[in-house]
Amino acid sequence: MPGSGLKACLRYNRAMLSLPAARPLVVAVIAYEGITPFHLSVPCLVFGTRFDAPDAPLFEVHVCAAETAPFATAAGFAIVPAHDLSLLETADIVIMPSWHDDCRAAPDALMTALRGACLRGARMVGLCLGAFPLAQAGLLDGKRAATHWAMAAILAARHPHVMVEQEMLYVDDGGMLTSAGVAAGLDCCLYLLRQLAGAELANRVARRLLVAPHRQGGQAQFIERPLPVSNSEGRFAEVLAHVGAHLSEAHGIDALAERAAMSRRNFTRHFRQATGTSFKQWLLGQRLAHAQGLLEKSAISIDMVAQASGFGTALSLRQHFRAALQTSPSAYRKLFCNRTAGAVSVARSSTR
């Protein structure tokens, strides 16, 4: 597909930030013969959850396939999708929840539907091996992407124009959202829900699903490298809990290592093994998430949010907010002070 057309489409999407919303967002989840039901259920659970709050944003989740006739799943039972691929002509969000384990080429009809949805401005998501059809369609060319660690090398070899991030749980690059395998699909969908509806609502969904609302780290923690079980595990977990409860304070690695009864070297190595990232990046993520919650749920000043979340100054908070979320704390608060209007307004920036 023409790269210039895709770039123009993405520029157009960003310009639509303030469009009002008059309808729920349509989420199209693509099924196929032999799909694993778990992969199919992940986006349906996250975006299909019904909320008690009357102002919660609404999503219409529909399962579609190339044909609407019954077909078998990998679990020994059949499903009947209610829609064919024409649903992609109007969907706001298109999710490829996985793909065949042999990474076979996708059929032309699916390629045409994916390209058309992308050019129209739909938000494109590939979970686990779902990155393969997106890459085959040319949608990931020149972009960073994730997939299951066991197939990352195959994706990189087959599509050299895609920058495969082998140790990321999920990657958002230019409107193309891809994730690693299985449970990382939940992380990815919760991330997108957090973008569309705010941290508080995403946390509520995560609590209902009994999963972490924002899991730091990457696939490095899952790539055939089991952690040794030792007496230090409990102390290490206590240190993380302590930091999370005192985000407004300064935290040095030496002091934390001493608290965990470890050397500095052992602590940093153990931390990266356990979380897939550095302590600095983990702490930044925790502070950003806390700041998001304060902005959504309280009316305290930006200066107070910065101090309470550990950024110290409003300037520092604004800089980190801009770098991580491409917006300002004030704009974020304004966007989510009215969840119904705000959620779909953000969505329109990526889906129209």
Side-chain angles (χ1 to χ4, degrees):
M1 64 184 298
S4 58
L6 177 58
K7 291 178 181 178
C9 173
L10 294 177
R11 288 197 298 269
Y12 177 74
N13 289 343
R14 288 193 288 267
M16 301 296 282
L17 181 63
S18 61
L19 274 181
R23 60 175 177 80
L25 297 176
V26 176
V27 181
V29 185
I30 303 172
Y32 54 88
E33 177 85 25
I35 191 171
T36 301
F38 178 85
H39 288 111
L40 184 61
S41 69
V42 166
C44 296
L45 283 171
V46 172
F47 296 104
T49 298
R50 293 295 177 261
F51 307 102
D52 298 329
D55 62 343
L58 297 177
F59 300 89
E60 288 184 1
V61 182
H62 301 287
V63 174
C64 63
E67 298 180 359
T68 56
F71 56 77
T73 68
F77 59 83
I79 61 173
V80 184
H83 303 272
D84 60 22
L85 294 179
S86 63
L87 180 65
L88 273 62
E89 297 173 5
T90 55
D92 300 289
I93 303 168
V94 175
I95 301 179
M96 196 77 225
S98 186
W99 191 238
H100 298 278
D101 290 344
D102 59 6
C103 305
R104 70 188 65 170
D108 292 341
L110 179 56
M111 293 295 94
T112 299
L114 290 174
R115 290 169 183 146
C118 180
L119 284 175
R120 185 177 50 77
R123 186 67 186 269
M124 309 299 292
V125 182
L127 306 178
C128 193
L129 300 185
F132 277 82
L134 296 187
Q136 182 184 337
L139 307 186
L140 301 180
D141 284 353
K143 299 185 181 299
R144 297 162 53 245
T147 191
H148 192 286
W149 62 266
M151 301 297 182
I154 296 175
L155 181 64
R158 189 175 296 179
H159 302 284
H161 296 296
V162 180
M163 295 171 281
V164 180
E165 298 281 358
Q166 298 196 33
E167 295 194 355
M168 298 294 288
L169 289 177
Y170 54 84
V171 173
D172 185 357
D173 190 347
M176 297 294 157
L177 189 56
T178 53
S179 83
V182 195
L186 278 169
D187 297 299
C188 186
C189 288
L190 287 170
Y191 163 81
L192 181 55
L193 181 62
R194 194 160 58 247
Q195 280 193 325
L196 302 181
E200 182 181 357
L201 187 58
N203 291 349
R204 193 187 313 169
V205 174
R207 284 195 296 271
R208 289 194 177 188
L209 298 178
L210 297 179
V211 297
H214 182 55
R215 187 158 53 117
Q216 293 285 344
Q219 295 188 75
Q221 56 191 310
F222 306 114
I223 301 177
E224 298 181 354
R225 189 173 55 193
L227 296 178
V229 178
S230 68
N231 293 332
S232 64
E233 295 296 327
R235 290 192 297 269
F236 184 77
E238 290 174 2
V239 169
L240 296 189
H242 169 78
V243 173
H246 299 84
L247 292 173
S248 62
E249 301 175 8
H251 297 284
I253 291 182
D254 288 329
L256 295 176
E258 182 178 355
R259 190 182 188 95
M262 298 179 180
S263 67
R264 178 189 177 97
R265 181 179 179 182
N266 191 32
F267 178 84
T268 55
R269 183 177 67 251
H270 194 97
F271 194 94
R272 183 168 289 278
Q273 285 180 322
T275 67
T277 189
S278 68
F279 174 73
K280 181 179 179 180
Q281 288 301 116
W282 178 86
L283 180 59
L284 175 60
Q286 297 298 307
R287 284 174 166 166
L288 281 171
H290 187 57
Q292 286 177 275
L294 290 175
L295 290 168
E296 291 178 31
K297 295 182 290 186
S298 74
I300 63 176
S301 69
I302 301 299
D303 286 300
M304 293 182 67
V305 171
Q307 294 173 16
S309 53
F311 289 101
T313 67
L315 176 61
S316 177
L317 174 62
R318 291 189 187 99
Q319 289 173 336
H320 286 292
F321 231 77
R322 175 67 63 182
L325 304 173
Q326 292 77 54
T327 188
S328 68
S330 297
Y332 183 90
R333 167 174 277 169
K334 182 178 180 180
L335 191 63
F336 291 111
C337 65
N338 183 329
R339 175 145 294 124
T340 301
V344 187
S345 178
V346 172
R348 288 295 182 264
S349 71
S350 296
T351 62
R352 290 296 301 270

